[in-house]
Amino acid sequence: MSPEMTSSVAQQGAADTARRSSAEIALSVEQASYAYSASARQAPTFTLEATSFHARQREIIAILGPNASGKSTLLQLVAGTLAPLSGRVQLDGFEISRLDTRTRAQRVAMVQQESPLIFPVRAWEYVLQGRHPYGRTLRFETDEDCGIAMNALAQVGAEHLRDRWMDKISGGEKQRVILARALAQQPLLMLLDEPTLHLDIGAQVDLLERLRHLAEENRYIVAVVTHELNLAAEFADRVVLLHRGKCLRVGSAAEVYQQELLEQVFEAPLAVEQTASGRPRVVVRGKNTQ
Amino acid sequence: MLRRLRSIAIGSAGLAAVVGALLCATPLAAQSSAAPLETTDETGRHVAIPQPVRRIVSLAPSITETLYALGAQDRLVGVTDYSDYPSEAKQKPNIGGSINPNLEQLVALKPDLVVATRALNRRETVDALARLGFAVYATDERTVEGVLVSTERLADVIGAHERGAELVAGLRQRLAELKRTLEGRAPRRVLFVVWHDPLISIGRETFLADALRWAGAESVVNSSQDWPRLSLEEVVRLQPEYLVFADSHAEQGALNFEALRERPGWRNLDAVRAKRIAIISDAVNRPCPRLVDAIEQLARQLHPEAFADKQAAPAECASCAR
Amino acid sequence: MRPVTLRRVLWTCSALAAVLLVVVVLALKLGAVPISVTDLALSLGRVAIGRSDQLPSEYSVIVFGLRWPRILLGILVGAALSVAGTGFQALLRNPLADPYVLGVSSGAALGAIISLIASPQFPLVTPLAAFLGAALTIAAVYLLGQREGQLDSGTLLLAGIISASFLSAVIMFLMTTLAGRDLRGMAFWLMGDLSTPLPAGLRWILLAGLLGAVAAIYTTAADLNLLIAGEREALHLGVDVTRVKLVVYISASVLTGLAVSVSGAIGYVGLLVPHVMRLLFGSDHRLLIPTAALGGAIAVVLADTLARTIVAPTELPVGAMTAMAGAPFFIYLLRRRLP
């Protein structure tokens, strides 16, 4: 790579790091709402009512709720792919949905269920795609890009997977590689959409622990959409509880996990237990217990 | 990196130079001893024909026949498929089909003149040859008279003027005679069957339709397409008086007809039931001198009473080459 | 870890260009009229040094007047169709996409035929009409291939096949009812025909269009790598999905329209060549697009050479050769998952 390109990438990286380590960058969602309708003339078939919450660096926010509660919509609002009908969704003072695609991709990374690949790629290629927002129109990856990609793989403990084909590795391994790609984007904000969906419990725990560690080390703001009550309780600093398009409560897990509230939202007999660590645990209430 | 780019650039430049030179291809230089004959062919194209015409390539079977009739067969160096009359024509070098002749082989034959016909050949073939510097003369015969005129003009072009004039004069005489014989007789309404399944007949603007008129017949099909496809119901509605088939072998034609009689739909035709069919030589399909033979043959079959007092038809056309 | 670099692209393309050169020389030598290697070498040499008037004239005409224009046309058409196929496969996220299978070639052919019927005196209008036919067809197929708002692979293929059949039927209808004497050759042309030399203006339009469209698609090459994983994901990775789709859609339609307008419907090139190149060089579009272009040129020149030598003096249509190789390959792809 030519020296000029390397230095400009380095400069950009330096600027990002500087911003990161300086004063607080925050995700700020204020009264953000949205509505879907099948067509312009019909009434909205789904609404997300005004929702507010904040997140700081190194924090993990869980967006919690049953299906069709508006979690995905809220996530897309935070990701900037949808613009809020009212209210604001800002990252570091910038309205996320108004950023151009490239800049947004440098600041916000999304980890979601991947579509099936029609032309398979190797893990390192996949992770390298995370560097795309930093290149010019016709670009070839620099050595620095490769370094960042390898580093990302290392951070998720998937270095050994780098030459493997993406469609030949296990679900948990794949999820780690997807996470690595998000890391390679060097974002400020990391979003995860039901990351534990197809993973066994060991992989789930592994993923979330890494996430916690990465958030801490790289100073990410992390928002995770999930319906896994206990994992959210265990790993999230704050929980946003959604129910049918309405944000019912925002707070720590201990504050949000109230039995009546949870039973109403999830429509199941539940009981909340306290554990030694101070984080609540939700269990299904059998017929015998109360 | 830079060094590699440089060597690649030099290589590409060299390649481009060769390619550029190749792009300026030179067409065939005409090798003629005298000034070329400037004329316009029957499709309106201007042609410069080198003189004398020593080597001719024919792109259609009808052209081949005509050239033999004009006595130019020694100068004929290439023909296309189905050039089977007269039978010696089959010995001539074949360059492929009329629609798609092999241009390479044609070029290798080094013709002075290529003769095409609008009815059978493609415009693209003619244009391609012209672009390569060959003289291409295209005929366009739409009527029987047109066939005669075309033969005369072709004779002029290849330098066989007397032979052409003689041939055409004889044919005109026969046609005039035929006209006299058929004077006053109502033309028969006929269906000319090009193919029976699917049923294809001829359009009103073809030379075949004109040939029918000369033979005292009128095609019941009135279509602007050259080879209209008909449904059998349509034909039943039209109820032609006669069915006309063209076949190279009369006996084979008769056998085919027997097979056809049994088929549904065909049975409903009066002409089939009454066995009013005429089988004529397939010379009728080609716009060449032998067409007149076929016309006479048809006239005899459709109006036998008109020829009752005449002598029997000559077995072969006296003025056609063997 | 070996990402694609500019160097690798240049080297691979140089190697393929060398193969193309060999194929071209072979195609110049082979044909219905035998020309020996020495004669060919001498002819080429004389032309290169400018002494073309010393050539035995019939060789000159055959090699430079007949074979060379076909080869050149084959190179341009092959490159155009392959890159169009690569573009469609990425755009529609379907490995079976190809201008012919998607019916786009038929749409372009219909456009060309309509323009030839309507205004035969303006041959330069034909590529424009063909482009319009191609663009409208791919738009229709794209819309028809949606299911619940998302592009669905199976539905797309179905939409393409139906479009191809429908358009072919319309073409047949036009040809049987409106067929004047000069449209007889149309049936032959429809099967793919490289033998018709181009009018000079058209040649330059073809070249300019080819270079422009390929360049346009190439600027989206890095984006396409991401786009084939899914539009949502590409969007999150900073790809301007709308712009990329538009550029590829227009460019691929231009390429298909140009190719079909000058040489008829040559099928399966856009399907075969990108896949072979993927197998050889990987799926990265920054390498795939130029290799597909060169590979397509090689494939069509080879197919054309075969078509005019296998049963000489009869010339088979080039489209028949590509279909004979392409259709079984298509079936093979259908039946197995790609590696």
Side-chain angles (χ1 to χ4, degrees):
Chain A
M1 254 359 263
S2 64
E4 305 87 56
M5 268 187 85
T6 316
S7 78
S8 77
V9 172
Q11 276 169 18
Q12 196 166 26
D16 278 340
T17 319
R19 189 185 321 123
R20 247 174 272 241
S21 43
S22 71
E24 288 300 301
I25 302 171
L27 168 68
S28 142
V29 178
E30 291 172 24
Q31 302 292 316
S33 73
Y34 197 74
Y36 283 118
S37 47
S39 77
R41 279 159 301 176
Q42 290 177 4
T45 54
F46 178 80
T47 28
L48 176 71
E49 294 181 16
T51 306
S52 304
F53 64 90
H54 297 258
R56 289 193 298 270
Q57 286 176 294
R58 300 207 204 101
E59 280 190 339
I60 300 183
I61 303 268
I63 300 175
L64 195 64
N67 294 334
S69 53
K71 307 195 298 278
S72 300
T73 309
L74 182 57
L75 192 68
Q76 288 187 57
L77 284 174
V78 175
T81 48
L82 290 178
L85 226 51
S86 69
R88 298 193 300 201
V89 180
Q90 292 182 337
L91 179 65
D92 195 23
F94 292 99
E95 188 69 34
I96 303 180
S97 57
R98 297 228 196 95
L99 294 171
D100 69 280
T101 336
R102 221 184 97 141
T103 315
R104 189 161 67 220
Q106 293 175 1
R107 301 197 188 163
V108 181
M110 175 77 94
V111 176
Q112 60 191 171
Q113 302 303 315
E114 60 163 278
S115 333
L117 296 165
I118 45 165
F119 301 121
V121 292
R122 295 194 193 270
W124 64 258
E125 275 183 273
Y126 193 85
V127 176
L128 211 49
Q129 287 177 357
R131 299 302 302 157
H132 188 263
Y134 293 96
R136 295 200 295 250
T137 302
L138 191 63
R139 68 176 311 243
F140 296 91
E141 284 83 16
T142 63
D143 292 332
E144 176 167 355
D145 289 323
C146 295
I148 293 172
M150 287 310 298
N151 189 32
L153 275 172
Q155 286 196 313
V156 300
E159 269 174 311
H160 60 288
L161 295 172
R162 73 164 181 242
D163 285 320
R164 305 273 301 278
W165 293 101
M166 281 298 282
D167 57 348
K168 297 262 177 20
I169 55 180
S170 75
E173 292 173 325
K174 204 183 294 189
Q175 198 69 304
R176 276 194 266 164
V177 175
I178 299 176
L179 185 60
R181 184 172 75 175
L183 294 182
Q185 278 176 265
Q186 296 183 319
L188 300 172
L189 170 64
M190 191 167 304
L191 305 173
L192 296 98
D193 191 356
E194 308 269 9
T196 56
L197 210 47
H198 297 127
L199 305 181
D200 59 49
I201 187 73
Q204 290 181 6
V205 171
D206 178 77
L207 181 72
L208 287 169
E209 274 185 358
R210 276 186 208 279
L211 202 55
R212 154 118 271 134
H213 180 74
L214 287 166
E216 187 64 41
E217 191 164 299
N218 299 341
R219 297 169 143 257
Y220 297 136
I221 307 169
V222 180
V224 181
V225 164
T226 183
H227 57 254
E228 302 267 10
L229 284 162
N230 286 323
L231 283 177
E234 188 60 37
F235 290 101
D237 297 305
R238 211 130 14 103
V239 173
V240 175
L241 184 64
L242 293 180
H243 178 54
R244 301 217 187 124
K246 242 180 149 118
C247 171
L248 293 184
R249 198 163 298 181
V250 176
S252 71
E255 293 163 9
V256 173
Y257 285 26
Q258 304 298 323
Q259 178 167 342
E260 304 84 30
L261 190 60
L262 289 184
E263 282 191 340
Q264 175 200 348
V265 169
F266 287 95
E267 291 168 14
L270 300 170
V272 181
E273 296 174 3
Q274 292 299 323
T275 62
S277 62
R279 294 182 180 269
R281 184 168 60 212
V282 180
V283 297
V284 177
R285 189 159 44 83
K287 298 202 183 64
N288 311 339
T289 56
Q290 190 198 23
Chain B
M1 169 79 169
L2 214 57
R3 204 178 306 144
R4 286 203 210 279
L5 274 178
R6 207 176 295 147
S7 52
I8 290 173
I10 292 176
S12 317
L15 191 63
V18 174
V19 168
L22 285 177
L23 274 173
C24 315
T26 50
L28 176 70
Q31 326 225 334
S32 55
S33 44
L37 172 68
E38 309 271 343
T39 184
T40 313
D41 74 6
E42 290 173 28
T43 61
R45 293 174 56 252
H46 175 260
V47 194
I49 303 173
Q51 300 290 310
V53 177
R54 279 188 281 248
R55 298 173 69 83
I56 309 176
V57 166
S58 150
L59 289 185
S62 59
I63 302 289
T64 309
E65 279 200 42
T66 309
L67 287 172
Y68 268 86
L70 292 173
Q73 58 267 37
D74 295 329
R75 293 186 276 162
L76 185 59
V77 296
V79 300
T80 52
D81 290 339
Y82 301 111
S83 290
D84 51 10
Y85 190 94
S87 41
E88 296 93 68
K90 296 186 212 171
Q91 311 300 322
K92 293 285 183 184
N94 181 308
I95 59 168
S98 298
I99 301 248
N100 191 26
N102 191 301
L103 295 182
E104 290 189 11
Q105 289 186 334
L106 195 157
V107 167
L109 290 169
K110 294 196 278 192
D112 299 315
L113 175 66
V114 179
V115 187
T117 171
R118 193 182 193 163
L120 206 54
N121 301 113
R122 285 193 297 153
R123 166 143 231 127
E124 289 84 0
T125 311
V126 169
D127 287 342
L129 287 168
R131 206 168 280 137
L132 289 172
F134 289 97
V136 185
Y137 182 89
T139 65
D140 187 14
E141 311 88 343
R142 309 257 183 138
T143 61
V144 174
E145 176 64 24
V147 173
L148 299 179
V149 168
S150 192
T151 307
E152 273 181 317
R153 295 195 59 195
L154 185 59
D156 290 342
V157 162
I158 63 172
H161 177 81
E162 288 96 32
R163 184 88 183 87
E166 189 190 321
L167 174 65
V168 171
L171 292 172
R172 282 219 174 89
Q173 192 185 12
R174 286 167 61 188
L175 282 174
E177 173 101 19
L178 185 60
K179 193 167 178 181
R180 270 197 304 275
T181 313
L182 293 177
E183 190 111 33
R185 292 183 190 275
R188 300 273 192 220
R189 294 175 59 251
V190 306
L191 175 75
F192 186 91
V193 179
V194 174
W195 193 251
H196 58 270
D197 186 15
L199 181 52
I200 300 180
S201 185
I202 54 171
R204 62 168 181 262
E205 284 168 27
T206 54
F207 71 87
L208 270 164
D210 193 50
L212 289 180
R213 276 176 232 124
W214 276 94
E218 186 73 41
S219 169
V220 294
V221 178
N222 186 13
S223 169
S224 55
Q225 289 182 356
D226 282 356
W227 311 108
R229 200 170 138 168
L230 308 173
S231 68
L232 215 43
E233 295 94 61
E234 181 74 15
V235 177
V236 171
R237 190 180 66 81
L238 292 169
Q239 285 295 5
E241 296 177 58
Y242 270 84
L243 298 179
V244 180
F245 297 86
D247 216 305
S248 42
H249 304 287
E251 312 84 47
Q252 186 59 39
L255 281 173
N256 289 342
F257 175 69
E258 289 305 315
L260 210 54
R261 280 183 89 182
E262 307 307 314
R263 291 198 185 193
W266 292 92
R267 286 199 292 258
N268 302 346
L269 290 172
D270 294 339
V272 170
R273 278 198 287 254
K275 219 178 169 190
R276 285 201 298 268
I277 63 164
I279 300 177
I280 58 177
S281 151
D282 66 345
V284 75
N285 289 323
R286 292 189 185 167
C288 71
R290 220 167 31 118
L291 179 64
V292 177
D293 289 4
I295 294 176
E296 288 177 340
Q297 204 183 7
L298 182 60
R300 279 177 187 274
Q301 291 185 50
L302 293 180
H303 300 274
E305 60 294 345
F307 294 88
D309 52 335
K310 305 257 183 198
Q311 67 204 43
E316 298 293 340
C317 158
S319 56
C320 291
R322 276 307 287 122
Chain C
M1 172 188 282
R2 277 185 324 132
V4 169
T5 58
L6 184 64
R7 198 163 129 188
R8 194 162 141 210
V9 171
L10 289 175
W11 269 113
T12 318
C13 289
S14 304
L16 281 175
V19 173
L20 180 61
L21 195 63
V22 169
V23 169
V24 165
V25 170
L26 210 68
L28 283 172
K29 179 198 180 319
L30 294 173
V33 172
I35 293 183
S36 70
V37 179
T38 29
D39 282 323
L40 181 63
L42 285 171
S43 306
L44 288 174
R46 286 208 190 98
V47 165
I49 59 177
R51 295 248 197 88
S52 40
D53 45 304
Q54 284 183 12
L55 297 168
S57 42
E58 65 270 20
Y59 282 175
S60 153
V61 177
I62 290 176
V63 171
F64 300 118
L66 287 173
R67 290 184 192 167
W68 172 246
R70 285 180 86 119
I71 292 170
L72 188 60
L73 192 57
I75 290 175
L76 294 177
V77 166
L81 289 175
S82 302
V83 175
T86 311
F88 283 133
Q89 282 166 18
L91 188 71
L92 303 169
R93 288 197 295 290
N94 189 319
L96 296 169
D98 150 273
Y100 191 71
V101 169
L102 289 174
V104 182
S105 293
S106 305
L110 182 60
I113 288 180
I114 290 179
S115 93
L116 281 172
I117 293 177
S119 62
Q121 62 271 28
F122 298 118
L124 294 185
V125 175
T126 313
L128 183 65
F131 161 69
L132 279 175
L136 287 172
T137 310
I138 193 63
V141 170
Y142 191 77
L143 286 172
L144 287 173
Q146 311 255 348
R147 218 158 75 114
E148 296 160 16
Q150 287 277 59
L151 207 56
D152 174 59
S153 185
T155 317
L156 185 75
L157 220 51
L158 215 53
I161 292 173
I162 291 172
S163 303
S165 310
F166 174 73
L167 291 164
S168 295
V170 174
I171 290 176
M172 283 297 127
F173 172 78
L174 282 180
M175 283 179 52
T176 35
T177 54
L178 297 184
R181 290 164 177 231
D182 286 337
L183 280 183
R184 181 180 315 107
M186 192 68 63
F188 191 78
W189 171 86
L190 272 179
M191 290 188 285
D193 171 33
L194 289 176
S195 62
T196 313
L198 297 176
L202 203 51
R203 193 182 292 175
W204 290 114
I205 289 180
L206 181 61
L207 190 61
L210 175 76
L211 290 176
V214 172
I217 290 188
Y218 197 62
T219 60
T220 67
D223 298 312
L224 289 178
N225 291 338
L226 271 55
L227 195 64
I228 58 176
E231 286 185 28
R232 260 183 337 166
E233 301 192 13
L235 196 61
H236 288 129
L237 283 167
V239 173
D240 187 349
V241 172
T242 323
R243 186 189 71 87
V244 167
K245 275 165 51 169
L246 199 64
V247 168
V248 174
Y249 159 66
I250 291 180
S251 304
S253 301
V254 166
L255 288 172
T256 308
L258 282 176
V260 171
S261 70
V262 297
S263 67
I266 301 182
Y268 297 102
V269 175
L271 175 69
L272 262 172
V273 175
H275 280 298
V276 173
M277 294 298 131
R278 274 200 197 90
L279 285 173
L280 291 174
F281 304 116
S283 303
D284 193 320
H285 286 81
R286 294 168 296 190
L287 184 56
L288 186 61
I289 289 172
T291 54
L294 288 166
I298 293 172
V300 171
V301 174
L302 272 179
D304 182 58
T305 309
L306 270 175
R308 59 185 170 83
T309 52
I310 275 192
V311 279
T314 312
E315 279 186 15
L316 293 174
V318 137
M321 295 301 308
T322 57
M324 283 203 287
F329 187 75
F330 184 76
I331 293 173
Y332 165 74
L333 274 184
L334 267 181
R335 290 178 56 110
R336 80 169 259 187
R337 293 181 48 194
L338 292 168

